[in-house]
Amino acid sequence: MNTIVSGLRSVGLPRQVGWTCSYTARVAAMLCALAAASTPIDVNAATLATTLISTQVTEGGPDATVAVQLAFDVSENPATCQVTGTLSTQTGSAVAGSDFQTINTPFALTLTPADASVQQQITIPIINDSVAEPDEGFDTSIDSVDLTACPLGVTIVKNTTVAITDDDAGSATFTFSASLVTVNEIAGTADIQVALTGAASIQAPFVASVDVTTLDGTANSNTDFTAIAITLNFDETQLLQTVTVPLTDDLIPEASESLSIVLANGSALLDDQRIVAVAIPVPTLAVNIIDDDVPGTLQFSAGALSAAENGGSTIVTVNRVGGTLGDVSITYAAVAGTATVGADFTPVGGTLNWPSGDGAAKSFALPIVDDALSDPNETITLTLTNPTGGATGGANATVTVLDDESPLDAGGDVAIATTAGATVNASFFVTGTPPITLAARLGTLTPTVLNAPGNATYTYVIPANTPAGTTLNDTVTATDSSGNVANKQITLQVAAPAARNLTDVPALTPNQLALATWFDDFCPRLAASGANTADQQDLFGVCANLRDPATTDAQVVAALDAINPEPMLSAASTTLRLSGQQHGNLEQRINALRSGATGIDLAGLNLNIDGQQVSGAALQSLLETLTGGGASADDFGRWGIFVNGRINFGEKDATQNQTGFDFDTIGITSGVDYRIRDNFVIGAALGYSQIDADFDQSVGHLDIETWNISVFGTYFSADKFYLDAALNYGDNGYDSVRHIVYTDVGGTVDRTAVSDSSGVETSIGLATGYDFGHGAWTFGPHIGSFFYDVGVNEFRETGAGGLNMVVDDQNAQSFTLNGGGHVSYVITPAWGVLVPHLRVDYVHEFQDSRELIGVQVAADPFSADPLNPTPTIILQTDEPDPDYVVWSAGFSAQFINGMAGFINYQSTEGYSDLTLTELTFGLRWERSF
């Protein structure tokens, strides 16, 4: 039949149901007759296919929709076509039952002559899970097709792929296996385990990775450990990795130190296709290094021990902690407390010895005497005396002998946490001579009389209106048949609102996060151990109010900023940025020397007396007149004396790490120099400078005073080449006042903390250049290099109660290279000589790393704990700008009446968040009398 239809098409017969033969050719007539006698049939086939209606199928919905469609390829259809079948699904990369539901859905399509196409839509449910996985797909298929009722030729396109886009990130996290690691220096390495948890929430196969770096704390990577920067890789078979940090075992006795391990950039690659982030809830782990280069402390394993009266002997252990250097020994003894020698225990004594390097525990036996008397529990005192080898002896310990003859006892006091409206039930065991009568002040007891030692239950219903945070105290009284009385205290603590974690506050800066992490770690420890001093009690209140859910996120952020010891953290960096006064004054003198200055030079000093400006040049002229002329009149003319002054002022903008502040500085330098040759001068100078920095929002202020001593020299040739050098040493004093003001659920906190410190600074500078002359113009290039080193000793605050801070030693360095040019022009008006000048320098800073500064809270009772100290708070300063431009402009003038002067303005451009300007000026008056 297909051949006949093909022949019909070749001779151009009309496309209709009844054929009209209009050709007389024999072949055509035969074909027409055959076609007219046949069942009518469409000469154009129909197509049965599936179409994906949901072009973007996401795992979270909506479900996939597939249309089964029967279509004809022309606008007129010659016959009705009915097709039936089923649409089914087949597993692909997506798995039936896990990613989608299997279907086997029947369809029935009827295409009438009036239709171009007809379709039936079928929904395929997509399964939404919580597992992160690659995008997947599955196939649909047309099966069991029945074309009996369709006279048309039908082409079946059976398969369509449905792609599912995953919308899960998984809940995997990278965590440290410990919250704090303590290791002895002698161990050689600190081993820290990092775990991938929640791996079941990401589909295998996967490769997860996290970057691991070390961060200096009080331990330094140059001297105490070797810094690491590695990437750990995990998969479904390896969920735990060990990070090894090499430790430096030196022979230097020192305090315990700490470093931090930092996790960053957690991610997982799923089946080499999709990357999802892996959370790092606690990115920093503190590692404490215990020094072993001291003899150590010999101490009992615990301050309070117990021994059963019928136990025979109890073993007492003495530990060597904090160091193993040298042979050491100590004498031990057991003496009577409330226990009686001979009746309750046998006294012992002796010496315990440790060779050098031995850190193992030593022990001795303490014999206990078992009597038949019903005694209260009694105590024995253990002592350690006469430590040798430089070791330190620990405190005494107490052994409590527990009587086994059942005296009247209702058990120890108990504290029960509860809530308003709750029913408290507490069971306890009562011993004594029956009958034993029980009574309570608030609660009830069941039973009220015991005819033999046994259990009793205390019951009390907390009133529903009891405020959270209330403590209720009750007493259970037990009375035996002999009239003996024993009391048991029951403390009922009605729960306060659950504390919140400060680290949950969103968008914290690095320094805010460091303080928040410290509070979240420290506050529960303080609550568990108890506050013993007034400052610790105050700190406990700070913890409770800051972590109270009623304190808003905005109040927490403001409090963390207020608690941050900004003025002290800025000590080293502020000194470093603004400590150029002495070099500037020396540069001014050196420039004058190359211009021929000799004798006494006070031109750079300007005084204000009773509101009247008095120039240093006038003082110089008066001094030379009184001494009979300038020093250059004789051989003393090779000597020079000078005084120069300089004023700086500006502001630093606030950043996410540091608060902004306004500052002003003043510096004065006085010195003497000697001209060895006409073109070679050396000298020495003494300088004083003061920096006053006032921090924004009344946070506080920092005052810095510096005394400097310097040596300098300059060499210059006749053709204007010059080489300058200066070396400076300074002694710094720091005074800090910090205002701590914030509001929390408890109201307004307003404290003032004061502290002081000291430090030193050293610097060296080299500069060279060349001056070209052309008519009235002088110009040329120059280059220089400066190195500054600033050290600041520890700050320790007072006056702010529990919020007093201790800021560790600071050190900051700067090494710069500058290059640029200078130009000046001589103008000679009728009244004298005027020389305007301009200088521009491009400066590159090579020491371009931020400072990391350790901070502790002074009232922290755990900071000196050798086994589990509170981690140091590591705060950071801003990174210094690597490149900036310094320019200056001004003029000098010489007047015909003997008056001379200069003025110069200098500014720094391209220094992020810092505006630094400088103004220098001076006058000189020369006159003969």
Side-chain angles (χ1 to χ4, degrees):
M1 182 61 68
N2 288 337
T3 303
I4 297 172
V5 171
S6 177
L8 286 171
R9 286 175 179 160
S10 67
V11 296
L13 291 177
R15 291 174 293 179
Q16 57 187 17
V17 176
W19 303 109
T20 300
C21 294
S22 57
Y23 293 87
T24 57
R26 176 180 292 182
V27 175
M30 292 175 60
L31 291 174
C32 281
L34 184 58
S38 302
T39 302
I41 185 168
D42 183 15
V43 296
N44 290 285
T47 300
L48 179 67
T50 53
T51 301
L52 183 62
I53 300 300
S54 305
T55 57
Q56 183 67 32
V57 179
T58 302
E59 182 183 273
D63 293 332
T65 302
V66 175
V68 182
Q69 179 173 275
L70 182 61
F72 197 66
D73 62 356
V74 296
S75 60
E76 296 180 358
N77 184 14
T80 296
C81 174
Q82 293 181 339
V83 178
T84 62
T86 59
L87 180 71
S88 62
T89 54
Q90 287 83 40
T91 294
S93 56
V95 179
S98 298
D99 300 308
F100 65 94
Q101 291 184 9
T102 300
I103 67 166
N104 192 17
T105 304
F107 64 85
L109 302 174
T110 300
L111 185 66
T112 67
D115 299 325
S117 66
V118 64
Q119 67 176 16
Q120 178 180 331
Q121 292 189 2
I122 298 173
T123 298
I124 306 172
I126 303 300
I127 298 175
N128 185 18
D129 57 30
S130 59
V131 177
E133 53 197 342
D135 295 343
E136 301 169 312
F138 63 91
D139 293 332
T140 65
S141 177
I142 297 175
D143 301 309
S144 305
V145 179
D146 184 355
L147 302 176
T148 304
C150 185
L152 306 179
V154 177
T155 300
I156 302 174
V157 180
K158 286 195 170 185
N159 296 320
T160 294
T161 298
V162 179
I164 305 174
T165 301
D166 188 65
D167 63 349
D168 298 304
S171 57
T173 59
F174 286 114
T175 60
F176 293 107
S177 296
S179 60
L180 177 68
V181 173
T182 300
V183 62
N184 288 321
E185 180 182 273
I186 197 173
T189 62
D191 296 326
I192 299 94
Q193 289 187 323
V194 179
L196 175 63
T197 61
S201 69
I202 52 179
Q203 180 175 287
F206 64 83
V207 176
S209 64
V210 64
D211 294 337
V212 185
T213 57
T214 52
L215 188 65
D216 285 11
T218 52
N220 189 286
S221 57
N222 294 323
T223 57
D224 301 308
F225 68 97
T226 301
I228 65 169
I230 62 175
T231 298
L232 299 180
N233 292 317
F234 300 73
D235 58 27
E236 59 272 17
T237 65
Q238 186 168 20
L239 303 178
L240 187 67
Q241 298 260 28
T242 299
V243 177
T244 299
V245 179
L247 304 179
T248 302
D249 185 14
D250 55 33
L251 299 178
I252 303 173
E254 54 193 344
S256 297
E257 299 171 312
S258 65
L259 61 102
S260 295
I261 309 295
V262 180
L263 302 180
N265 303 323
S267 65
L269 176 61
L270 311 182
D271 199 21
D272 292 329
Q273 296 181 40
R274 180 183 174 215
I275 296 176
V276 294
V278 178
I280 307 174
V282 181
T284 303
L285 172 71
V287 178
N288 292 325
I289 305 173
I290 307 300
D291 186 60
D292 65 337
D293 298 310
V294 293
T297 298
L298 308 178
Q299 63 186 31
F300 291 111
S301 60
L305 306 170
S306 62
E309 183 182 83
N310 59 358
S313 295
T314 186
I315 302 301
V316 179
T317 301
V318 180
N319 294 328
R320 183 180 189 180
V321 299
T324 60
L325 182 67
D327 298 339
V328 298
S329 66
I330 199 163
T331 300
Y332 67 88
V335 298
T338 58
T340 302
V341 174
D344 298 309
F345 74 100
T346 301
V348 295
T351 301
L352 300 175
N353 299 285
W354 285 263
S356 182
D358 183 8
K362 311 297 180 184
S363 60
F364 61 89
L366 173 62
I368 305 298
V369 177
D370 185 13
D371 59 29
L373 301 176
S374 177
D375 298 321
N377 294 337
E378 298 169 312
T379 60
I380 304 167
T381 300
L382 304 177
T383 64
L384 293 173
T385 58
N386 302 321
T388 66
T392 302
N396 293 345
T398 299
V399 178
T400 300
V401 180
L402 305 177
D403 190 67
D404 61 345
E405 274 72 39
S406 299
L408 177 63
D409 187 8
D413 298 340
V414 296
I416 301 172
T418 184
T419 57
T423 298
V424 175
N425 291 295
S427 295
F428 53 94
F429 192 82
V430 182
T431 63
T433 305
I436 305 168
T437 302
L438 301 175
R441 183 174 59 85
L442 296 177
T444 59
L445 291 155
T446 305
T448 57
V449 177
L450 288 168
N451 294 317
N455 288 310
T457 300
Y458 169 89
T459 303
Y460 181 66
V461 179
I462 307 297
N465 61 350
T466 304
T470 301
T471 299
L472 302 174
N473 296 302
D474 200 357
T475 303
V476 173
T477 302
T479 306
D480 69 6
S481 60
S482 301
N484 297 316
V485 176
N487 289 325
K488 177 186 183 71
Q489 300 297 322
I490 296 181
T491 302
L492 306 175
Q493 299 168 333
V494 182
R500 55 105 62 102
N501 285 325
L502 302 185
T503 50
D504 292 337
V505 176
L508 294 178
T509 67
N511 284 350
Q512 291 168 351
L513 181 60
L515 286 167
T517 301
W518 184 89
F519 275 110
D520 286 345
D521 175 74
F522 169 82
C523 292
R525 292 184 65 191
L526 182 63
S529 66
N532 300 317
T533 68
D535 283 354
Q536 289 172 8
Q537 292 170 3
D538 177 61
L539 188 54
F540 179 81
V542 169
C543 282
N545 289 340
L546 271 184
R547 302 180 79 232
D548 192 298
T551 299
T552 67
D553 287 356
Q555 288 174 330
V556 169
V557 171
L560 294 175
D561 286 338
I563 294 170
N564 188 343
E566 277 285 354
M568 296 176 289
L569 296 180
S570 302
S573 59
T574 300
T575 305
L576 194 64
R577 287 181 170 183
L578 305 179
S579 61
Q581 298 276 9
Q582 183 83 334
H583 274 293
N585 288 334
L586 293 177
E587 180 184 14
Q588 183 174 305
R589 175 58 178 172
I590 289 171
N591 290 338
L593 289 169
R594 288 203 302 270
S595 299
T598 59
I600 299 173
D601 182 5
L602 304 181
L605 176 65
N606 300 279
L607 306 178
N608 190 298
I609 302 175
D610 293 334
Q612 299 297 317
Q613 189 75 20
V614 180
S615 73
L619 296 177
Q620 172 184 320
S621 178
L622 178 60
L623 178 60
E624 290 178 350
T625 299
L626 295 175
T627 57
S632 59
D634 51 28
D635 290 340
F636 191 69
R638 291 187 175 274
W639 289 93
I641 300 173
F642 67 94
V643 179
N644 287 340
R646 186 172 293 258
I647 297 173
N648 290 346
F649 52 90
E651 62 182 0
K652 179 189 177 297
D653 296 333
T655 67
Q656 71 167 357
N657 292 321
Q658 292 185 274
T659 301
F661 56 85
D662 297 327
F663 63 87
D664 58 76
T665 72
I666 185 171
I668 186 169
T669 303
S670 175
V672 60
D673 46 59
Y674 182 74
R675 193 176 293 271
I676 297 176
R677 293 197 299 271
D678 288 345
N679 63 343
F680 183 30
V681 184
I682 60 172
L686 175 67
Y688 170 82
S689 63
Q690 178 175 316
I691 302 174
D692 295 325
D694 291 319
F695 287 78
D696 296 348
Q697 301 176 349
S698 300
V699 171
H701 63 265
L702 178 69
D703 296 334
I704 308 172
E705 287 190 333
T706 302
W707 287 96
N708 305 87
I709 56 174
S710 307
V711 293
F712 62 91
T714 180
Y715 171 82
F716 50 96
S717 62
D719 58 359
K720 302 300 184 180
F721 166 79
Y722 63 87
L723 178 65
D724 302 333
L727 178 65
N728 177 64
Y729 173 85
D731 185 76
N732 300 329
Y734 300 88
D735 288 306
S736 169
V737 177
R738 188 164 65 95
H739 301 301
I740 309 169
V741 181
Y742 65 89
T743 301
D744 56 25
V745 69
T748 300
V749 176
D750 190 347
R751 315 277 179 85
T752 299
V754 297
S755 60
D756 57 52
S757 183
S758 60
V760 298
E761 64 176 75
T762 56
S763 60
I764 185 171
L766 295 171
T768 185
Y770 193 89
D771 289 335
F772 295 95
H774 181 73
W777 291 93
T778 300
F779 53 90
H782 55 260
I783 189 172
S785 180
F786 289 86
F787 175 78
Y788 291 90
D789 182 89
V790 175
V792 181
N793 297 325
E794 175 187 88
F795 284 92
R796 186 173 290 272
E797 288 184 322
T798 59
L803 292 177
N804 288 322
M805 294 287 183
V806 179
V807 177
D808 291 350
D809 296 349
Q810 303 174 46
N811 183 262
Q813 294 180 332
S814 173
F815 177 44
T816 61
L817 180 67
N818 65 281
H822 52 272
V823 60
S824 61
Y825 185 77
V826 178
I827 304 172
T828 55
W831 45 262
V833 179
L834 180 67
V835 184
H837 60 269
L838 174 68
R839 176 187 176 106
V840 179
D841 281 277
Y842 177 83
V843 184
H844 178 72
E845 172 66 70
F846 290 93
Q847 299 288 115
D848 56 351
S849 61
R850 69 175 78 247
E851 298 172 59
L852 301 175
I853 302 172
V855 176
Q856 295 176 324
V857 177
D860 179 3
F862 313 110
S863 60
D865 186 342
L867 299 179
N868 190 22
T870 306
T872 300
I873 307 168
I874 304 298
L875 301 180
Q876 55 184 281
T877 64
D878 295 326
E879 291 186 357
D881 291 89
D883 300 283
Y884 53 94
V885 174
V886 179
W887 66 272
S888 62
F891 62 85
S892 58
Q894 176 70 53
F895 304 94
I896 57 176
N897 59 1
M899 186 74 71
F902 71 91
I903 187 168
N904 188 71
Y905 176 83
Q906 179 174 296
S907 180
T908 301
E909 307 296 338
Y911 218 146
S912 298
D913 309 312
L914 181 67
T915 302
L916 180 60
T917 56
E918 177 179 282
L919 181 66
T920 56
F921 54 91
L923 291 173
R924 179 192 301 275
W925 181 41
E926 298 178 356
R927 183 166 179 173
S928 300
F929 294 92

